[in-house]
Amino acid sequence: MTIVKLPGLKNLIDSISQERNLPKHSVKDALREALLKGYERFRRTQNMDRRQFDDNYFDNLEVELDVEEEGFRVLATKSIVEKVTNPDHEIALDEVKEVVEEAQLSDTVVLDITPDQGEFGRMAAMQTKQVFSQKLRDKQRQLIQEEFQDLEGTVLQARVLRFERQSVILAVSSNFGQPEVEAELPKREQLPNDNYRANATFKVFLKKVREGPQRGPQLLVSRASAGLVVYLFANEVPEIEDEVVRIVAVAREANPPSRSLGPRTKIAVDTLERDVDPVGACIGARGSRIQVVVNELRGEKIDVIRWSPDPATYIQNSLSPARVEEVRLVNPEGRQAHILVSEDQLSLAIGKEGQNVRLAARLTGWKIDIKDVAKYDAAAEDEKIAEAIAKGQAASVDAQTEDSIRLYSLDDDKDETDYDEVTSVPEDEE
C-alpha cells in the first residue's frame, strides 16, 4: 500500500501531547482531520474537469495514520455499480471481481487512494498545518469543557499567572490529577482587598464554563460570588455539611458602590434541631469558625443571622446589629415593612451609606423603610399605604415628612452586576 511519509511523526505526537496537555489519541484525531482537509485541498487543485465539490463530497474518505512507518494513507469507501458515473464514489463490478469474485452490486469496498509523496503539494501541506493548529485548539477546549462542566457552581483552588487588561488570569485544577488550565477572573468578580500578586493562591467560585470558539480562557471564576461564602461556611462548619444547619439565604455586597464602604455579607441560617444554635455553630467558639471565612475573604464583614418563617422576626434579625422596637408589615402583598427604631439606633439600622438596610432588604426580599419610633404616626402611615394600594401605585411610598428615612429595596437603582445574592426558602415553608 502507498504511504506518504511524515518523518518524526511519533516524536511529533509525543511532544504535542506533552506540551498541550492532550492525550495522544486526541492529537492523532486532530492530525487525521487536518490531513483529510489537506487531501481535499489537493483534490480541488487537481480538479482537471472542474467538477463541483459540495460540502459532503469527501465524506467517503478517511485518513489512516501509521505511526510505526511514520506516514499516512488516504482510504476511500466506494459503492460497487454496473457503470461508473462518479469515480470518486463508485467502482465497476467487473473491476472488483478481478480481486474479489463474490462481490455484488450495491456492496461497498475500501480502496487505497493515497497520492504519491511528491504530489501532495505545498498548498495542501499549508492547509494541513493550519487545520491541525485549529483542531488542536478545539480538542483542548473540548477537553476542558468535559473536565469542568460538572464543576460549575463549585469552588476551586487557583494561582495567579498574569494580568490581561483588568482581568486576572489564574491557573486552576479540577483536582482529578489533570494539569492546570487557565481561568479568567474579571474586574467585577474581584475583591477590593485581595492582593493579586504573581503566584498568590486563592479559592475561587467556578461561575461558568464558556462554550464556543472565542479566544481566551474558557473558565470564568469569581471571588465576589455568594456561592463562595456558602462553600466556605459549609467547609468550615460540620453542622452544615451534616445538614443539621442549613443556609437559607445570602446577600453579598462584595464590590460596594462607594469606596468608603467595605465588602459585607449577610447570611441567614436555620436548623430543625431544637438543641442546636445555628448562628453559634457558624460563628464557632470565640469566633474561630467565622474568622477562617473572614480571613479567606480578606477581612470582609459577615453578619450571621437566624432565619425565621415569620417575616417580622426575620426582618428584625436581618437588621442586626441594630435594635428594632417594632416591625410593621404595612403591605404584606407588596412585601413592604416599616421598621421602628429609637433615634440612637437609626444610623446603625441604616448603616453607612445605607449598606445595612440595603443588604437586609436583599436578604429578606422585603422593601424596608426605617422610621423613628418617637415620630411615627401609625394612622397616617396606614392611610398613605391604603391610598397607594388603591391607586395601583408602586408598593413603596415616598417619604414626605422630615422624620422619614430613604427606602432601600430589592429594586433599588443599583447595577445588578455589583451584587450577587442567593436566596431560597424551604419548599415546606414558602
Side-chain angles (χ1 to χ4, degrees):
M1 296 178 71
T2 310
I3 188 170
V4 176
K5 288 289 186 178
L6 296 174
L9 176 61
K10 190 174 187 302
N11 292 336
L12 175 68
I13 293 173
D14 291 342
S15 62
I16 291 177
S17 174
Q18 186 173 3
E19 290 171 8
R20 303 240 182 180
N21 297 322
L22 284 170
K24 292 181 182 179
H25 69 82
S26 294
V27 179
K28 292 178 183 178
D29 288 344
L31 183 55
R32 274 192 288 266
E33 293 176 44
L35 287 168
L36 187 55
K37 289 295 182 182
Y39 179 79
E40 289 180 19
R41 180 62 181 265
F42 161 73
R43 284 287 287 111
R44 292 177 191 276
T45 58
Q46 296 297 314
N47 184 17
M48 306 305 293
D49 56 359
R50 315 315 300 172
R51 181 190 298 273
Q52 295 297 316
F53 299 128
D54 59 31
D55 293 339
N56 302 321
Y57 188 82
F58 297 101
D59 285 354
N60 68 318
L61 303 183
E62 62 176 309
V63 167
E64 180 185 83
L65 279 180
D66 192 327
V67 178
E68 297 303 321
E69 291 192 34
E70 296 194 328
F72 73 94
R73 300 179 182 86
V74 181
L75 306 178
T77 300
K78 296 185 180 183
S79 299
I80 300 175
V81 296
E82 190 72 42
K83 183 178 181 182
V84 174
T85 58
N86 183 349
D88 288 330
H89 292 259
E90 300 168 342
I91 187 171
L93 177 61
D94 294 342
E95 187 177 348
V96 178
K97 281 196 170 187
E98 293 178 3
V99 181
V100 182
E101 181 64 32
E102 62 270 20
Q104 298 180 3
L105 291 173
S106 300
D107 286 349
T108 58
V109 292
V110 178
L111 303 176
D112 183 357
I113 58 170
T114 308
D116 291 336
Q117 183 80 25
E119 290 181 358
F120 200 58
R122 183 176 64 86
M123 295 301 294
M126 289 178 59
Q127 176 81 357
T128 300
K129 183 177 180 181
Q130 292 172 359
V131 173
F132 186 42
S133 297
Q134 180 61 49
K135 292 297 180 181
L136 286 176
R137 288 193 293 269
D138 292 345
K139 295 291 183 183
Q140 283 181 299
R141 300 189 71 84
Q142 181 182 355
L143 194 67
I144 292 173
Q145 186 173 335
E146 292 173 355
E147 182 181 350
F148 288 92
Q149 195 71 61
D150 293 338
L151 295 177
E152 275 190 5
T154 64
V155 172
L156 306 172
Q157 190 71 25
R159 178 172 55 87
V160 176
L161 292 178
R162 63 183 186 277
F163 305 91
E164 291 184 0
R165 297 188 178 92
Q166 292 185 315
S167 294
V168 182
I169 306 302
L170 307 166
V172 299
S173 172
S174 64
N175 298 322
F176 297 149
Q178 297 293 333
E180 292 180 327
V181 300
E182 292 186 353
E184 180 184 2
L185 180 66
K187 177 68 176 177
R188 67 180 180 276
E189 302 294 346
Q190 299 170 18
L191 294 184
N193 295 336
D194 279 341
N195 181 10
Y196 298 105
R197 65 185 186 278
N199 291 318
T201 58
F202 298 92
K203 287 184 174 66
V204 295
F205 183 80
L206 180 55
K207 205 166 186 180
K208 184 177 182 181
V209 179
R210 294 166 171 162
E211 300 180 10
Q214 70 272 7
R215 298 180 63 182
Q218 277 179 270
L219 307 182
L220 179 66
V221 296
S222 172
R223 287 275 292 166
S225 171
L228 179 60
V229 179
V230 172
Y231 168 85
L232 293 173
F233 271 103
N235 191 57
E236 195 61 34
V237 181
E239 290 85 348
I240 295 178
E241 186 177 358
D242 296 338
E243 298 183 352
V244 175
V245 173
R246 55 181 178 172
I247 297 174
V248 180
V250 179
R252 190 178 186 200
E253 196 168 85
N255 289 290
S258 171
R259 292 184 179 180
S260 63
L261 295 176
R264 187 172 180 179
T265 293
K266 285 184 180 287
I267 179 170
V269 295
D270 189 33
T271 182
L272 297 177
E273 302 289 339
R274 290 186 177 182
D275 299 333
V276 176
D277 174 13
V279 175
C282 292
I283 294 176
R286 299 180 181 179
S288 58
R289 291 176 175 176
I290 196 173
Q291 192 58 49
V292 174
V293 179
V294 170
N295 291 342
E296 175 62 36
L297 299 178
R298 305 302 188 264
E300 182 169 325
K301 186 174 181 180
I302 300 176
D303 301 328
V304 182
I305 65 108
R306 179 71 183 264
W307 179 84
S308 173
D310 175 46
T313 303
Y314 186 27
I315 293 170
Q316 180 175 337
N317 293 346
S318 72
L319 287 167
S320 173
R323 293 193 312 272
V324 175
E325 299 292 331
E326 183 184 352
V327 176
R328 299 190 70 232
L329 307 180
V330 293
N331 182 9
E333 291 186 2
R335 298 177 71 83
Q336 181 183 355
H338 286 179
I339 313 302
L340 310 184
V341 298
S342 58
E343 185 177 2
D344 64 333
Q345 294 293 305
L346 276 174
S347 59
L348 189 59
I350 297 169
K352 189 175 182 180
E353 298 186 24
Q355 187 180 53
N356 190 58
V357 68
R358 183 165 59 245
L359 283 173
R362 291 176 177 275
L363 187 73
T364 62
W366 281 72
K367 300 171 183 178
I368 298 175
D369 199 354
I370 308 294
K371 302 284 186 177
D372 185 342
V373 66
K375 300 178 181 179
Y376 187 75
D377 186 340
E381 293 293 341
D382 289 345
E383 186 177 343
K384 291 178 185 178
I385 295 292
E387 290 178 358
I389 295 175
K391 294 178 180 179
Q393 296 177 350
S396 60
V397 178
D398 293 335
Q400 297 179 0
T401 57
E402 60 182 4
D403 61 310
S404 61
I405 307 299
R406 181 182 171 186
L407 172 68
Y408 293 89
S409 67
L410 283 171
D411 53 5
D412 203 359
D413 57 351
K414 301 296 180 185
D415 188 340
E416 288 291 323
T417 59
D418 288 342
Y419 310 101
D420 191 351
E421 314 83 31
V422 176
T423 59
S424 62
V425 178
E427 293 182 359
D428 58 335
E429 293 168 337
E430 281 187 318

